[in-house]
Amino acid sequence: MKLDKTILCIVTSILLMVTGCRKSENAIQEDHIATQQIDSYLSSLIDTAGIPGIAIALTNGQDVIYAKGFGFANIQTKEKLTPSHFFHVASISKTFTATAVMQLAERGKLDINRPLIHYLPYFKMKDPRYRKITIKQMLNHTSGIPDVTDYEWEKAESDEGALERYTRSLADSILMYDPGSSFNYSNIAFDVLGDVVAKVSGVSFEKYEEENILVPLDMDKSNFYYPKMSKDLQTVPYTGSSQAISMVYPYNRKHAPSSTLTSNVLELSHWAIANMYEGRYKNRQIITPSTFRAMTSPTVTVDPAQGLSVGLCWFIYPYRGYVNYVHEGGDIGYRSILSLIPEKKLGVVILSNTDHIDIQQVYFKIVDMLLADK
């Protein structure tokens, strides 16, 4: 049986039970093996692996065809996890920041091949090579800017000046290598890119994302600004093998562009669909197809042995003979992954409210079930 047929035929009863799911008009009655396997596997993570909660959504074509929560949003209150519950999605945030940068490039507001200092004249580092850093090098993690060592979640800033202050605070930093000469994943680079978005657009980073990406994609309840989020459907973060409640929630406005989007699997499914269709969701085009192709075309080889490369933010690798466009996320109390398999029009979103889970292994298990010959 071909994948498309299998995915489109996810058990009707599950589709009807899950808020936000709708059956594809091409779906027909079929065996329920894939869905039963997914349910059994994710339930086992709750029952035997000690995972507090995990939520998943699958998209096929332009439809959300399966979405479900397993375990608890809050173990202490026994609040059951649903697809509507919200998670800190960590570095999946970067794909939104990169798209904002590319939108501004499309609109002639910036050129990704120009130096960063052209857009942020106050950006300085102790290392004089900083003057050579381009926007593109920041997007594909080749800028040489080091990574964050302390997010200071316990000293969260929430005012609008946080991003610029953070950019200015890097003045004593030193580059890891000549810009463009190597790869090193950098959250700092993406936080500074958020400052670029704010300065070039003339509005705060969070407002730009909300008006130009989140609202057009019907992600109305998702937000980068955590103080604005309703806490009614918020998950509790658990950390370590003991699954203790994290003493801090991972939010600090100066790290919003790299890390602080709060969303759920249902609304992130809209993001998956928009990227599956090269920037188009329903009748809204947030970036052009050529821009999306540029973002998902390899620019740097990260791991030749695994075939892993990076485009403009998106990571690209083969799995089971299919190209995957992927971004993972991880912070204290949370793990996440969002992946696209374009050849099969398949999107996978998995969120968990614990940092003690191998989210990539979970993803591969799910994809194995979906791609298995029937």
Side-chain angles (χ1 to χ4, degrees):
M1 184 184 297
K2 294 182 179 179
L3 170 66
D4 297 313
K5 190 175 182 182
T6 302
I7 296 172
L8 288 170
C9 299
I10 298 280
V11 59
T12 302
S13 61
I14 295 292
L15 292 172
L16 295 176
M17 286 167 54
V18 178
T19 302
C21 258
R22 65 187 180 89
K23 185 171 65 174
S24 167
E25 62 186 20
N26 296 321
I28 60 174
Q29 293 297 321
E30 263 295 347
D31 63 61
H32 304 155
I33 295 175
T35 296
Q36 290 174 347
Q37 287 180 332
I38 292 171
D39 284 358
S40 177
Y41 170 59
L42 294 180
S43 293
S44 74
L45 295 180
I46 307 301
D47 297 336
T48 63
I51 302 302
I54 189 164
I56 182 173
L58 303 176
T59 66
N60 188 225
Q62 300 188 48
D63 296 327
V64 181
I65 55 160
Y66 174 76
K68 197 169 183 179
F70 298 81
F72 300 96
N74 185 325
I75 295 175
Q76 284 65 36
T77 65
K78 303 301 182 185
E79 181 182 354
K80 292 285 189 180
L81 185 66
T82 72
S84 298
H85 275 94
F86 286 89
F87 297 73
H88 167 92
V89 305
S91 286
I92 291 175
S93 304
K94 292 181 178 68
T95 61
F96 289 79
T97 300
T99 298
V101 169
M102 298 305 289
Q103 280 184 337
L104 291 167
E106 285 183 348
R107 297 167 187 175
K109 300 283 189 178
L110 62 79
D111 180 344
I112 66 171
N113 294 304
R114 297 199 73 169
L116 167 63
I117 58 173
H118 179 78
Y119 303 102
L120 299 182
Y122 51 82
F123 175 80
K124 290 180 174 61
M125 298 179 76
K126 183 179 287 188
D127 188 328
R129 294 175 295 177
Y130 78 85
R131 297 184 182 91
K132 301 177 184 178
I133 297 170
T134 67
I135 301 298
K136 181 177 180 180
Q137 290 164 352
M138 298 169 76
L139 287 169
N140 68 6
H141 299 285
T142 63
S143 67
I145 296 174
D147 202 4
V148 177
T149 57
D150 184 359
Y151 289 88
E152 298 185 306
W153 300 133
E154 74 284 0
K155 295 187 281 188
E157 302 172 27
S158 60
D159 65 290
E160 193 168 315
L163 264 183
E164 182 174 325
R165 283 199 306 276
Y166 185 63
T167 297
R168 291 180 181 273
S169 77
L170 302 172
D172 290 331
S173 300
I174 297 175
L175 289 176
M176 300 179 68
Y177 47 77
D178 286 338
S181 66
S182 188
F183 170 89
N184 183 74
Y185 191 84
S186 176
N187 285 277
I188 292 176
F190 270 78
D191 291 329
V192 175
L193 281 175
D195 197 16
V196 172
V197 169
K199 295 306 185 293
V200 170
S201 68
V203 299
S204 72
F205 167 76
E206 294 88 352
K207 185 175 182 180
Y208 183 89
E209 290 284 350
E210 183 175 8
E211 293 180 347
N212 292 274
I213 298 179
L214 299 177
V215 170
L217 297 183
D218 294 337
M219 298 180 68
D220 303 321
K221 296 179 182 177
S222 301
N223 207 281
F224 279 84
Y225 187 60
Y226 183 67
K228 182 178 179 179
M229 293 294 300
S230 168
K231 304 306 184 285
D232 290 344
L233 288 171
Q234 181 62 54
T235 53
V236 172
Y238 295 91
T239 186
S241 58
S242 64
Q243 301 296 1
I245 296 176
S246 172
M247 298 304 293
V248 296
Y249 186 87
Y251 176 77
N252 194 336
R253 195 168 184 179
K254 64 186 180 183
H255 296 301
S258 70
S259 307
T260 75
L261 178 64
T262 299
S263 190
N264 60 25
V265 294
L266 295 175
E267 294 202 355
L268 281 173
S269 293
H270 303 176
W271 183 236
I273 292 168
N275 284 286
M276 185 69 69
Y277 286 89
E278 300 184 323
R280 186 173 183 81
Y281 177 75
K282 295 183 177 177
N283 62 344
R284 301 152 207 164
Q285 192 84 38
I286 60 167
I287 54 172
T288 65
S290 60
T291 291
F292 175 78
R293 289 192 292 271
M295 295 180 72
T296 52
S297 295
T299 61
V300 179
T301 299
V302 178
D303 186 341
Q306 300 298 321
L308 175 65
S309 60
V310 64
L312 301 180
C313 183
W314 287 97
F315 288 87
I316 306 148
Y317 58 74
Y319 186 68
R320 295 183 64 103
Y322 298 101
V323 174
N324 288 237
Y325 301 148
V326 183
H327 214 294
E328 296 179 39
D331 274 320
I332 187 167
Y334 290 101
R335 291 291 185 269
S336 56
I337 189 167
L338 186 149
S339 180
L340 312 173
I341 304 178
E343 189 174 345
K344 293 298 182 182
K345 290 290 188 284
L346 170 65
V348 180
V349 183
I350 306 172
L351 306 176
S352 184
N353 58 334
T354 177
D355 52 30
H356 195 67
I357 184 174
D358 186 338
I359 202 73
Q360 188 180 74
Q361 181 183 46
V362 174
Y363 168 71
F364 288 146
K365 289 270 192 181
I366 297 296
V367 173
D368 285 346
M369 296 171 194
L370 295 169
L371 296 180
D373 292 332
K374 298 296 184 181

